[in-house]
Amino acid sequence: AKDYELRQYETAKWVSTVVRGEPQKEAMRQGFWKLFHYIQGKNDKEMKIDMTVPVTCLVKSGCTDFKVSFFVPFEQQDCPPQPSDSDVFVEERKAAAIFVRSFGGFASPEKYAEEAESLARTLRNRGQPFHEDFYYTAGYDSPFKLFNRHNEVWYFKK
């Protein structure tokens, strides 16, 4: 469809952390730095790992806990280093069909929420079943990239 796409993601490992009781923007900041320290060597192998995209954030309706995640690079998928920080963990996300809406610019929590609501409305109107109680935000760019930015919101297909 012109305003969203349906992607099939394979099972993959992500390194994640949950930030509780903070506004989403602050949770993203704190979560990003915890994960950044992990890829900079704060892991059991003291291994530096390449930064990957997207950086995702799990947003649940009415909840102030946010799970921030980095995709584990393909080279480390089989055996990622274990985090040294007890707040950071490696998780395996199962294969899934995901509805994706892309947009540009600098994304704020408000902009992500607006785009997620727009995608949800479109999916409902088209009779597409999806998990409505949560969505993921996905950011692909460094904060220093000023133009042609790429952001997404994801809903999982039922």
Side-chain angles (χ1 to χ4, degrees), residues 81-114:
Q82 291 306 300
S84 305
D85 181 338
S86 61
D87 290 341
V88 177
F89 55 95
V90 174
E91 64 173 333
E92 185 171 88
R93 292 190 195 165
K94 299 293 178 209
I98 300 175
F99 293 108
V100 178
R101 180 178 173 86
S102 300
F103 60 99
F106 279 90
S108 63
E110 297 76 20
K111 180 67 174 163
Y112 276 123
E114 183 184 302

Short mmCIF file of all heavy atoms in Angstrom, two decimals, residues 81-114:
data_model
loop_
_atom_site.label_atom_id
_atom_site.label_comp_id
_atom_site.label_asym_id
_atom_site.label_seq_id
_atom_site.Cartn_x
_atom_site.Cartn_y
_atom_site.Cartn_z
N PRO A 81 28.14 -11.59 22.43
CA PRO A 81 28.74 -11.46 23.76
C PRO A 81 27.65 -11.14 24.79
O PRO A 81 26.69 -10.45 24.48
CB PRO A 81 29.69 -10.27 23.62
CG PRO A 81 29.79 -9.96 22.18
CD PRO A 81 28.63 -10.59 21.50
N GLN A 82 27.82 -11.67 26.00
CA GLN A 82 26.85 -11.41 27.06
C GLN A 82 27.15 -10.06 27.70
O GLN A 82 28.31 -9.73 27.95
CB GLN A 82 26.86 -12.53 28.10
CG GLN A 82 26.31 -13.84 27.55
CD GLN A 82 24.91 -13.68 26.94
OE1 GLN A 82 23.97 -13.28 27.61
NE2 GLN A 82 24.80 -13.95 25.64
N PRO A 83 26.12 -9.27 27.99
CA PRO A 83 26.33 -7.95 28.59
C PRO A 83 26.92 -8.06 29.99
O PRO A 83 26.63 -8.99 30.73
CB PRO A 83 24.92 -7.36 28.66
CG PRO A 83 24.10 -8.18 27.70
CD PRO A 83 24.72 -9.52 27.67
N SER A 84 27.76 -7.09 30.35
CA SER A 84 28.32 -7.00 31.70
C SER A 84 27.37 -6.24 32.62
O SER A 84 27.39 -6.43 33.83
CB SER A 84 29.67 -6.27 31.68
OG SER A 84 30.54 -6.90 30.79
N ASP A 85 26.56 -5.36 32.05
CA ASP A 85 25.58 -4.57 32.81
C ASP A 85 24.33 -5.43 33.02
O ASP A 85 23.74 -5.92 32.06
CB ASP A 85 25.24 -3.30 32.01
CG ASP A 85 24.27 -2.37 32.70
OD1 ASP A 85 23.51 -2.82 33.59
OD2 ASP A 85 24.25 -1.18 32.33
N SER A 86 23.92 -5.58 34.27
CA SER A 86 22.76 -6.45 34.57
C SER A 86 21.45 -5.90 34.01
O SER A 86 20.46 -6.62 33.91
CB SER A 86 22.64 -6.66 36.07
OG SER A 86 22.44 -5.41 36.71
N ASP A 87 21.43 -4.61 33.62
CA ASP A 87 20.22 -4.02 33.02
C ASP A 87 20.12 -4.29 31.52
O ASP A 87 19.12 -3.93 30.89
CB ASP A 87 20.20 -2.50 33.22
CG ASP A 87 19.97 -2.11 34.67
OD1 ASP A 87 19.47 -2.95 35.45
OD2 ASP A 87 20.29 -0.96 35.02
N VAL A 88 21.15 -4.87 30.93
CA VAL A 88 21.20 -5.11 29.49
C VAL A 88 21.09 -6.61 29.25
O VAL A 88 21.69 -7.40 29.99
CB VAL A 88 22.50 -4.53 28.89
CG1 VAL A 88 22.61 -4.82 27.41
CG2 VAL A 88 22.58 -3.02 29.14
N PHE A 89 20.33 -7.03 28.25
CA PHE A 89 20.15 -8.45 27.98
C PHE A 89 20.03 -8.69 26.47
O PHE A 89 19.66 -7.79 25.71
CB PHE A 89 18.91 -8.99 28.71
CG PHE A 89 17.63 -8.25 28.41
CD1 PHE A 89 16.76 -8.70 27.42
CD2 PHE A 89 17.30 -7.09 29.11
CE1 PHE A 89 15.59 -8.01 27.15
CE2 PHE A 89 16.13 -6.40 28.83
CZ PHE A 89 15.27 -6.85 27.85
N VAL A 90 20.38 -9.91 26.08
CA VAL A 90 20.22 -10.33 24.69
C VAL A 90 18.91 -11.09 24.61
O VAL A 90 18.63 -11.95 25.45
CB VAL A 90 21.40 -11.22 24.24
CG1 VAL A 90 21.15 -11.76 22.83
CG2 VAL A 90 22.71 -10.45 24.30
N GLU A 91 18.08 -10.74 23.62
CA GLU A 91 16.80 -11.44 23.45
C GLU A 91 16.67 -11.90 22.01
O GLU A 91 17.24 -11.30 21.10
CB GLU A 91 15.63 -10.53 23.83
CG GLU A 91 15.50 -9.32 22.93
CD GLU A 91 14.23 -8.50 23.21
OE1 GLU A 91 13.23 -9.06 23.68
OE2 GLU A 91 14.27 -7.30 22.92
N GLU A 92 15.90 -12.96 21.84
CA GLU A 92 15.61 -13.43 20.50
C GLU A 92 14.18 -13.06 20.17
O GLU A 92 13.26 -13.43 20.88
CB GLU A 92 15.80 -14.94 20.42
CG GLU A 92 15.63 -15.47 19.01
CD GLU A 92 16.02 -16.92 18.89
OE1 GLU A 92 15.15 -17.78 19.12
OE2 GLU A 92 17.20 -17.19 18.59
N ARG A 93 14.01 -12.29 19.12
CA ARG A 93 12.66 -11.97 18.64
C ARG A 93 12.31 -12.99 17.57
O ARG A 93 13.08 -13.19 16.63
CB ARG A 93 12.61 -10.55 18.06
CG ARG A 93 12.80 -9.46 19.09
CD ARG A 93 12.49 -8.11 18.48
NE ARG A 93 12.99 -7.03 19.33
CZ ARG A 93 13.12 -5.78 18.91
NH1 ARG A 93 12.79 -5.43 17.67
NH2 ARG A 93 13.59 -4.85 19.73
N LYS A 94 11.16 -13.59 17.72
CA LYS A 94 10.69 -14.60 16.76
C LYS A 94 10.34 -13.95 15.42
O LYS A 94 10.02 -12.76 15.36
CB LYS A 94 9.45 -15.31 17.31
CG LYS A 94 9.71 -16.05 18.62
CD LYS A 94 10.65 -17.21 18.41
CE LYS A 94 10.95 -17.92 19.71
NZ LYS A 94 12.28 -18.52 19.70
N ALA A 95 10.36 -14.76 14.38
CA ALA A 95 9.97 -14.28 13.05
C ALA A 95 8.56 -13.69 13.14
O ALA A 95 7.73 -14.18 13.90
CB ALA A 95 10.00 -15.43 12.05
N ALA A 96 8.33 -12.63 12.40
CA ALA A 96 7.03 -11.95 12.48
C ALA A 96 6.75 -11.17 11.21
O ALA A 96 7.66 -10.72 10.52
CB ALA A 96 7.00 -11.01 13.67
N ALA A 97 5.46 -11.01 10.94
CA ALA A 97 4.99 -10.12 9.87
C ALA A 97 4.68 -8.79 10.54
O ALA A 97 3.97 -8.74 11.56
CB ALA A 97 3.76 -10.71 9.22
N ILE A 98 5.25 -7.72 10.00
CA ILE A 98 5.15 -6.41 10.65
C ILE A 98 4.67 -5.36 9.64
O ILE A 98 5.21 -5.26 8.54
CB ILE A 98 6.51 -6.00 11.25
CG1 ILE A 98 6.94 -7.03 12.30
CG2 ILE A 98 6.45 -4.60 11.85
CD1 ILE A 98 8.32 -6.81 12.88
N PHE A 99 3.65 -4.61 10.07
CA PHE A 99 3.18 -3.47 9.28
C PHE A 99 4.08 -2.28 9.61
O PHE A 99 4.29 -1.96 10.78
CB PHE A 99 1.73 -3.13 9.63
CG PHE A 99 0.75 -4.18 9.23
CD1 PHE A 99 0.13 -4.98 10.17
CD2 PHE A 99 0.43 -4.37 7.88
CE1 PHE A 99 -0.79 -5.95 9.80
CE2 PHE A 99 -0.49 -5.34 7.50
CZ PHE A 99 -1.10 -6.14 8.47
N VAL A 100 4.60 -1.62 8.58
CA VAL A 100 5.58 -0.55 8.76
C VAL A 100 5.11 0.73 8.07
O VAL A 100 4.71 0.69 6.90
CB VAL A 100 6.95 -0.96 8.16
CG1 VAL A 100 7.97 0.16 8.30
CG2 VAL A 100 7.45 -2.26 8.79
N ARG A 101 5.18 1.82 8.80
CA ARG A 101 4.94 3.15 8.21
C ARG A 101 6.23 3.95 8.36
O ARG A 101 6.76 4.07 9.46
CB ARG A 101 3.78 3.85 8.94
CG ARG A 101 3.47 5.23 8.39
CD ARG A 101 2.27 5.83 9.15
NE ARG A 101 2.02 7.19 8.79
CZ ARG A 101 1.27 7.58 7.76
NH1 ARG A 101 0.69 6.68 6.99
NH2 ARG A 101 1.09 8.86 7.51
N SER A 102 6.73 4.50 7.27
CA SER A 102 7.98 5.26 7.25
C SER A 102 7.68 6.75 7.16
O SER A 102 6.69 7.16 6.56
CB SER A 102 8.83 4.88 6.04
OG SER A 102 9.14 3.51 6.07
N PHE A 103 8.57 7.56 7.78
CA PHE A 103 8.44 9.01 7.68
C PHE A 103 9.80 9.65 7.92
O PHE A 103 10.70 9.02 8.47
CB PHE A 103 7.38 9.55 8.67
CG PHE A 103 7.68 9.27 10.12
CD1 PHE A 103 8.26 10.23 10.93
CD2 PHE A 103 7.37 8.04 10.68
CE1 PHE A 103 8.53 9.98 12.27
CE2 PHE A 103 7.65 7.78 12.02
CZ PHE A 103 8.22 8.75 12.81
N GLY A 104 9.94 10.89 7.49
CA GLY A 104 11.22 11.59 7.59
C GLY A 104 11.27 12.57 8.74
O GLY A 104 10.38 12.61 9.59
N GLY A 105 12.33 13.36 8.76
CA GLY A 105 12.48 14.40 9.77
C GLY A 105 13.03 13.88 11.09
O GLY A 105 13.40 12.72 11.22
N PHE A 106 13.09 14.78 12.05
CA PHE A 106 13.51 14.41 13.41
C PHE A 106 12.28 13.92 14.14
O PHE A 106 11.29 14.63 14.25
CB PHE A 106 14.13 15.60 14.14
CG PHE A 106 15.56 15.84 13.76
CD1 PHE A 106 15.88 16.67 12.71
CD2 PHE A 106 16.58 15.19 14.43
CE1 PHE A 106 17.20 16.88 12.34
CE2 PHE A 106 17.91 15.39 14.07
CZ PHE A 106 18.22 16.23 13.03
N ALA A 107 12.33 12.68 14.64
CA ALA A 107 11.15 12.08 15.26
C ALA A 107 11.16 12.30 16.77
O ALA A 107 12.11 11.93 17.45
CB ALA A 107 11.12 10.60 14.96
N SER A 108 10.10 12.87 17.28
CA SER A 108 9.89 13.02 18.72
C SER A 108 8.92 11.92 19.16
O SER A 108 8.24 11.31 18.31
CB SER A 108 9.25 14.38 19.00
OG SER A 108 7.97 14.44 18.37
N PRO A 109 8.81 11.67 20.46
CA PRO A 109 7.80 10.71 20.91
C PRO A 109 6.40 11.07 20.42
O PRO A 109 5.62 10.19 20.04
CB PRO A 109 7.88 10.80 22.44
CG PRO A 109 9.31 11.19 22.70
CD PRO A 109 9.66 12.13 21.57
N GLU A 110 6.10 12.37 20.36
CA GLU A 110 4.79 12.82 19.89
C GLU A 110 4.60 12.49 18.40
O GLU A 110 3.53 12.05 17.99
CB GLU A 110 4.62 14.33 20.12
CG GLU A 110 4.64 14.76 21.57
CD GLU A 110 6.04 14.77 22.22
OE1 GLU A 110 7.06 14.82 21.50
OE2 GLU A 110 6.10 14.70 23.47
N LYS A 111 5.64 12.69 17.62
CA LYS A 111 5.57 12.39 16.18
C LYS A 111 5.42 10.88 15.96
O LYS A 111 4.62 10.45 15.13
CB LYS A 111 6.82 12.93 15.46
CG LYS A 111 6.86 12.66 13.97
CD LYS A 111 5.78 13.42 13.22
CE LYS A 111 5.95 13.24 11.71
NZ LYS A 111 4.73 13.62 10.99
N TYR A 112 6.18 10.07 16.72
CA TYR A 112 6.03 8.62 16.62
C TYR A 112 4.59 8.21 16.96
O TYR A 112 3.99 7.39 16.27
CB TYR A 112 7.00 7.89 17.55
CG TYR A 112 8.39 7.70 17.00
CD1 TYR A 112 9.50 8.18 17.69
CD2 TYR A 112 8.61 7.00 15.82
CE1 TYR A 112 10.79 7.97 17.21
CE2 TYR A 112 9.90 6.79 15.33
CZ TYR A 112 10.99 7.27 16.03
OH TYR A 112 12.25 7.06 15.55
N ALA A 113 4.03 8.77 18.03
CA ALA A 113 2.66 8.43 18.46
C ALA A 113 1.66 8.81 17.37
O ALA A 113 0.72 8.05 17.07
CB ALA A 113 2.33 9.11 19.78
N GLU A 114 1.86 9.96 16.78
CA GLU A 114 0.98 10.45 15.71
C GLU A 114 1.04 9.51 14.49
O GLU A 114 0.01 9.13 13.93
CB GLU A 114 1.45 11.86 15.34
CG GLU A 114 0.68 12.60 14.31
CD GLU A 114 1.37 13.95 14.02
OE1 GLU A 114 1.56 14.75 14.96
OE2 GLU A 114 1.73 14.16 12.84
#
